[in-house]
Amino acid sequence: MSLLSLLSLAALLSCGSVRSLPQGAPETVCDTMLPFHAGGTVLPENSVSPFGIETSSSVIGQGQTLRVDVTGAPAGLSFGGFMIQARNRNPPYQIVGQFSPSRDGTVKLMNCENSVNNSATHSNAGPKPQVSLDWQSPVDFLGQVVFNATVAQSYNQFWVGVASNPVQVVRRDLSAAAPLPTASPPNFNVNYPSTRTPYVPPSYVAPSVVAVVEDSFYDGCGQSKNCFGFPDGCVASKSCTSVSAVTVRGDIYEFELQSGKGTNAAYVAFGLSDDAKMGEDLTTECVPENGRVNLYSSYTSASPFSAVRANVPQNSARLLNASLVDGVIYCKVQRDPITVVQGRSFDLKNGVYHMLVASGSSLKENSVGYHDIGRLPSGNPINLAVVQDVAGSSQLLVRLHGAFMIAAWIGTTSLGIIFARYFKQTWVGSQTCGKDQWFAWHRMLMVTTWTLTVVAYILIWVELKRAVWHAHSITGLITVILCFLQPIGALFRPGPNDKKRPYFNWGHWLGGNLAHILAIVAIFFSVKLPKAELPEWMDWILVGFVVFHVLVHLIFSIYLCVNHWQISGIASDRQQSQRINTFQMGDMTHHHQHAMRNGMSMERKMDAPYGGLRKGLLGIYSVVLVLFVVVLILLVVLAPIEKLFE
């Protein structure tokens, strides 16, 4: 045989070996996962792959085993070759985990990136409708992995970058996924070096498919199960901070609970109530403790508020499934149709109940903490077996309470103090109902404050029906008491010549200003209340109001100083010269008041200097104040305001 014939035969044999690749992909393609068919002239398909990667769970603990299937669509569609790896979804995209040897010998394990058994390929090129592999997650890795595969249907037709849905690797004690019954691979001391992202040839155009991962919790809401969460209306947008679902099949009652991502919830709870109020309710609590989600049943009391687990039959509910992934608590619970607690029967089959959903960031000993993340009752009691759209209870009284308090303490009180302090020597000679203008306006504004405050306080009591103690309620209660006493004290105001008049002046001034300051502090505290549903940036609007209010006081005070100097230059008596157009602490003595009446009568017949400037500044202050009040009231009434922009 000639040399040319030998070379031709060798070339043909070489091409035949490349075409068949009966022993699977070589380790030289660990990075690219790209078949070198026909010397690299055959490119991957640009169409959507008819093959997919399915995993037995979306969550796995460290060191646990997961089943991975390479399948076709429709089922039974055969392929010849494949290569698969599990890679970190985030940089440095290293290969992680190990595959176990297959029982039927159809899988060949590969050693990529100086590691062992971290990739797999086919051991023969024959047609196969499905390949199942066992993959063990590393014991030193936390995060998301994606199974990335190349699947060849034939020599000229293959797809690169066939990916699974992300799989979350969590601490073993937090995983709800149970390990598959498979033999554990040898314990190798594996090092995972950094690597680049999987290689894609320059001429390859990926299919325009965007994977949208939606929360499966909301599947069937309003169709096969009742769903309810907060904020109200969140079920439709699948964006609940905490959410519950009830599925009824005959006498089987299944409850699902889930906290929102990023809420740092320490628990999520669901309650059944007769009156939509916390108290005497059967509660189901899902609480992560010591690496696992535990189930508790409790009974709430209204005064003092607590959720007590003692004397509540814990065997009336059973935990079917639970997980804690990325801080999101999930649990699925089955309850008995009838539960008797402290002589009271909760009959899920025949009774109707308000649904309560709550979550909080703290725990107590043998109990959950305050629901500072949020709480919402359903608006109407429902039969749990009747599937319907469940809406939250009305927040009208809460909104009115907030709106009235803002109007009173940001609006009318602030303006009333300005009149009393800086306008006693303005509009001299002009009266309303026989009273000086400054006093008539001051009295009207403060009576409005008193009325709004009392009404707002009554409204919140009607809503809550009990005392709730926290920073907002305590400062608010002190404010209401001071506000209630101010007009009563004014009824007993001593006469102008009475020796006790200075004590009244000091007390009235101190009580009014202290109430104003505490009211604004209470409004700041209200921004953090879950029930208010106010945006955190509302704090900056309140800060802006405080700065503006203080600045206006400072400008008016400068006018006072200028007036004082001018009057001092023309008055013969220094004591008489201190009676100017404002509410001065020096005016509070009996002798000074006597001197004013005898020596300042002429000055009181005309406005103090710069009256026009004072009136102009008052106009500007009033307009800006109204804008602040309107904006703040809108934030309260339309809360949560973020929903308007979604």
Side-chain angles (χ1 to χ4, degrees):
M1 183 177 292
S2 66
L3 179 60
L4 181 59
S5 299
L6 290 173
L7 291 176
S8 300
L9 179 60
L12 289 172
L13 292 173
S14 176
C15 289
S17 64
V18 172
R19 290 178 66 89
S20 61
L21 291 177
Q23 303 301 319
E27 294 179 357
T28 55
V29 298
C30 283
D31 276 352
T32 65
M33 299 183 69
L34 183 67
F36 199 65
H37 291 180
T41 60
V42 181
L43 296 178
E45 294 291 326
N46 288 338
S47 61
V48 177
S49 171
F51 304 99
I53 311 299
E54 298 180 356
T55 59
S56 59
S57 176
S58 61
V59 180
I60 185 174
Q62 292 173 315
Q64 291 185 334
T65 304
L66 183 76
R67 190 184 73 252
V68 182
D69 295 327
V70 183
T71 60
L77 181 64
S78 297
F79 57 93
F82 73 93
M83 179 180 175
I84 188 169
Q85 299 170 341
R87 285 185 177 267
N88 186 353
R89 194 184 185 191
N90 300 306
Y93 308 109
Q94 75 273 21
I95 305 174
V96 296
Q98 295 175 328
F99 289 96
S100 301
S102 64
R103 300 178 182 86
D104 56 7
T106 59
V107 175
K108 174 187 173 183
L109 302 183
M110 303 171 61
N111 303 326
C112 295
E113 296 184 351
N114 300 317
S115 187
V116 179
N117 298 344
N118 61 359
S119 302
T121 186
H122 57 279
S123 60
N124 66 79
K128 48 187 75 66
Q130 177 177 324
V131 171
S132 295
L133 307 98
D134 291 336
W135 177 82
Q136 185 182 41
S137 62
V139 297
D140 57 353
F141 174 84
L142 289 172
Q144 286 188 327
V145 301
V146 173
F147 289 92
N148 197 20
T150 295
V151 183
Q153 189 173 17
S154 63
Y155 179 79
N156 295 319
Q157 194 174 29
F158 57 87
W159 289 263
V160 176
V162 180
S164 70
N165 288 328
V167 175
Q168 185 77 30
V169 180
V170 299
R171 294 200 310 270
R172 187 184 184 107
D173 55 359
L174 295 184
S175 174
L180 297 174
T182 182
S184 298
N187 185 16
F188 295 100
N189 194 9
V190 180
N191 179 34
Y192 302 104
S194 297
T195 184
R196 63 180 183 274
T197 57
Y199 169 80
V200 177
S203 59
Y204 175 65
V205 179
S208 57
V209 177
V210 179
V212 179
V213 180
E214 293 188 348
D215 192 343
S216 60
F217 186 98
Y218 298 93
D219 294 346
C221 286
Q223 299 174 351
S224 59
K225 60 184 181 181
N226 286 314
C227 298
F228 179 63
F230 66 83
D232 192 22
C234 65
V235 173
S237 60
K238 301 181 180 181
S239 59
C240 293
T241 302
S242 290
V243 61
S244 64
V246 183
T247 303
V248 181
R249 297 190 298 272
D251 289 337
I252 299 176
Y253 290 79
E254 291 181 349
F255 297 81
E256 294 178 271
L257 298 175
Q258 182 173 283
S259 65
K261 191 171 184 178
T263 59
N264 297 319
Y267 71 90
V268 58
F270 173 85
L272 297 173
S273 173
D274 288 331
D275 55 4
K277 309 295 181 182
M278 297 295 284
E280 299 182 350
D281 311 317
L282 177 62
T283 307
T284 302
E285 305 166 355
C286 292
V287 184
E289 293 175 319
N290 300 321
R292 66 177 61 249
V293 178
N294 292 326
L295 167 67
Y296 298 100
S297 296
S298 62
Y299 190 68
T300 62
S301 62
S303 183
F305 169 74
S306 61
V308 181
R309 298 170 184 167
N311 300 321
V312 179
Q314 299 298 319
N315 59 356
S316 61
R318 292 159 294 285
L319 186 63
L320 303 179
N321 193 8
S323 65
L324 177 63
V325 180
D326 288 342
V328 176
I329 306 169
Y330 170 80
C331 67
K332 187 175 185 179
V333 179
Q334 180 179 332
R335 273 205 165 276
D336 292 341
I338 298 178
T339 302
V340 179
V341 181
Q342 299 183 12
R344 182 183 174 189
S345 177
F346 289 87
D347 188 345
L348 306 187
K349 187 174 182 179
N350 300 311
V352 291
Y353 299 97
H354 289 269
M355 299 173 66
L356 299 175
V357 181
S359 61
S361 60
S362 63
L363 299 174
K364 299 178 181 179
E365 185 177 0
N366 298 322
S367 178
V368 296
Y370 179 66
H371 42 76
D372 55 343
I373 295 177
R375 164 193 169 272
L376 184 66
S378 62
N380 299 303
I382 67 168
N383 185 321
L384 300 180
V386 179
V387 178
Q388 56 194 283
D389 293 329
V390 184
S393 62
S394 173
Q395 299 291 304
L396 177 62
L397 297 184
V398 176
R399 305 291 181 241
L400 289 177
H401 167 82
F404 287 174
M405 286 300 192
I406 287 175
W409 294 101
I410 300 292
T412 57
T413 301
S414 301
L415 194 58
I417 290 175
I418 292 290
F419 272 103
R421 185 167 178 81
Y422 302 109
F423 285 85
K424 289 185 176 180
Q425 199 67 24
T426 308
W427 295 297
V428 174
S430 174
Q431 293 187 335
T432 299
C433 298
K435 300 293 182 182
D436 290 344
Q437 290 288 352
W438 74 266
F439 183 79
W441 282 100
H442 172 75
R443 182 173 61 181
M444 181 190 69
L445 291 168
M446 290 310 180
V447 168
T448 303
T449 295
W450 188 91
T451 303
L452 290 173
T453 300
V454 172
V455 172
Y457 194 67
I458 293 173
L459 289 176
I460 203 63
W461 266 103
V462 172
E463 170 68 18
L464 298 179
K465 293 183 173 62
R466 60 183 177 84
V468 178
W469 299 113
H470 42 65
H472 172 76
S473 63
I474 294 173
T475 53
L477 178 60
I478 298 174
T479 300
V480 171
I481 293 174
L482 291 173
C483 174
F484 192 80
L485 294 177
Q486 281 290 95
I488 296 177
L491 295 176
F492 299 96
R493 178 176 60 244
N497 299 325
D498 197 298
K499 294 182 179 180
K500 297 179 181 179
R501 181 62 177 263
Y503 300 107
F504 166 81
N505 289 341
W506 275 105
H508 192 70
W509 174 87
L510 180 63
N513 283 276
L514 182 60
H516 191 212
I517 293 172
L518 288 177
I520 295 175
V521 171
I523 294 173
F524 270 100
F525 283 138
S526 71
V527 177
K528 306 300 181 183
L529 294 177
K531 198 175 186 68
E533 299 180 299
L534 297 173
E536 293 185 359
W537 46 266
M538 180 174 166
D539 282 337
W540 293 106
I541 299 178
L542 292 172
V543 169
F545 160 73
V546 172
V547 171
F548 171 72
H549 184 71
V550 172
L551 181 62
V552 169
H553 272 276
L554 180 62
I555 296 174
F556 273 124
S557 297
I558 293 174
Y559 283 153
L560 292 184
C561 293
V562 174
N563 290 342
H564 172 75
W565 293 334
Q566 290 187 351
I567 293 176
S568 296
I570 61 175
S572 59
D573 191 339
R574 180 177 178 82
Q575 186 179 26
Q576 292 179 350
S577 70
Q578 291 179 353
R579 178 63 178 97
I580 53 177
N581 67 321
T582 186
F583 188 91
Q584 294 292 322
M585 292 301 103
D587 295 347
M588 294 183 177
T589 65
H590 172 73
H591 296 291
H592 185 72
Q593 293 169 349
H594 182 73
M596 286 191 300
R597 289 191 304 274
N598 291 279
M600 300 291 290
S601 57
M602 183 171 294
E603 291 179 14
R604 286 180 54 85
K605 295 178 181 179
M606 64 179 65
D607 283 6
Y610 305 107
L613 291 177
R614 285 196 307 278
K615 295 173 184 177
L617 182 58
L618 175 65
I620 296 173
Y621 177 81
S622 300
V623 171
V624 177
L625 184 66
V626 168
L627 292 177
F628 271 113
V629 171
V630 170
V631 170
L632 292 171
I633 288 179
L634 287 176
L635 290 177
V636 171
V637 173
L638 300 178
I641 194 70
E642 292 87 350
K643 291 180 61 176
L644 297 179
F645 302 99
E646 293 178 355

